[in-house]
């Protein structure tokens, strides 16, 4: 079941993202680290009612943020749609023990359906340039790669911005 996250679940969510970060690092993908994702970011997501979790039999195995806030790093991007009515996906993750079972697809389908239901014109996101698996994942879903941005605290490598017009 995908539902809104609760403040009381913050430790479970942080444990989930730590497991995902360790798994990525073990596979040579230095996308998440001690700076990102942060507890503070997730607390803000919960307060804004934008963090959703995938609950499997009482265990949080996945998470996704569906935001209406455009981060300042996105401002210079030449998006396909006007910067007025868009959703932004952040911090999509599925616990490594549950990867490869379609749960990330379920979370993205949920986010895209949510965006359509709320009449957003597009869904926007970024993914690490060194994470080829994620790039294929989004491109297969119909997202178009547009430009690169940088998050120096995370990596010297760029992050690719993607958009799906709804």
């Amino acid at each position: 079941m995908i539902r809104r996250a609760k403040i009381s679940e913050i430790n479970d969510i942080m444990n989930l993202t730590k497991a995902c970060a360790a798994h990525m690092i073990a596979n040579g993908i230095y996308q998440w680290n001690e700076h990102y994702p942060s507890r503070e970011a997730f607390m803000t997501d919960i307060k804004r009612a934008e963090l959703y979790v995938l609950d499997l039999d009482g265990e949080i195995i996945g998470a996704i943020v569906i935001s209406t806030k455009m981060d300042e790093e996105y401002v210079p991007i030449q998006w396909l749609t006007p910067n007025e009515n868009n959703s932004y996906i952040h911090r999509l993750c599925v616990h490594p023990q549950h990867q490869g079972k379609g749960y990330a697809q379920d979370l993205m389908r949920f986010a895209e359906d949510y965006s359509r239901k709320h009449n957003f014109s597009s869904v926007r996101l970024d993914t690490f340039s060194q994470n080829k698996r994620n790039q294929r994942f989004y491109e297969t879903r119909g997202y178009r790669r547009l430009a690169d941005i940088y998050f120096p605290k995370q990596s010297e490598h760029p992050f690719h911005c993607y958009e799906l017009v709804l």
Side-chain angles (χ1 to χ4, degrees):
M1 164 179 62
I2 299 172
R3 59 169 174 76
R4 281 207 172 100
K6 303 171 195 162
I7 291 279
S8 61
E9 297 169 322
I10 195 69
N11 288 335
D12 294 332
I13 293 162
M14 292 308 300
N15 289 336
L16 166 65
T17 60
K18 286 177 185 169
C20 290
H23 182 71
M24 285 188 279
I25 290 167
N27 286 287
I29 300 168
Y30 300 92
Q31 179 174 345
W32 286 3
N33 58 30
E34 69 274 11
H35 302 290
Y36 187 89
S38 70
R39 176 181 292 272
E40 294 75 25
F42 282 122
M43 294 295 283
T44 299
D45 297 334
I46 292 170
K47 288 175 186 167
R48 289 177 51 95
E50 295 180 340
L51 176 59
Y52 294 83
V53 293
L54 175 55
D55 183 322
L56 183 66
D57 300 324
E59 179 187 1
I60 294 174
I61 65 159
I64 191 169
V65 175
I66 309 168
S67 181
T68 57
K69 181 181 177 290
M70 181 173 168
D71 291 344
E72 64 184 48
E73 291 85 0
Y74 286 177
V75 171
I77 304 300
Q78 294 296 308
W79 297 100
L80 301 172
T81 60
N83 294 334
E84 298 168 357
N85 189 33
N86 317 93
S87 64
Y88 298 88
I89 303 303
H90 299 293
R91 299 179 273 290
L92 170 64
C93 58
V94 173
H95 194 284
Q97 292 177 337
H98 296 281
Q99 290 178 6
K101 300 176 183 176
Y103 293 125
Q105 297 283 1
D106 293 342
L107 286 161
M108 283 305 297
R109 190 174 311 106
F110 175 83
E112 292 160 5
D113 289 347
Y114 176 95
S115 297
R116 283 185 189 94
K117 181 180 166 190
H118 290 86
N119 298 312
F120 290 112
S121 58
S122 73
V123 179
R124 298 172 175 179
L125 55 88
D126 66 78
T127 194
F128 191 43
S129 63
Q130 306 303 296
N131 193 334
K132 304 300 183 198
R133 181 179 176 196
N134 276 9
Q135 292 167 45
R136 284 190 304 276
F137 175 76
Y138 294 121
E139 290 166 6
T140 300
R141 295 192 67 79
Y143 286 78
R144 188 162 148 210
R145 182 175 154 193
L146 301 174
D148 290 345
I149 57 175
Y150 290 85
F151 296 102
K153 285 186 177 180
Q154 284 178 256
S155 176
E156 63 186 26
H157 299 288
F159 287 71
H160 301 321
C161 291
Y162 285 85
E163 185 171 22
L164 176 70
V165 177
L166 300 176

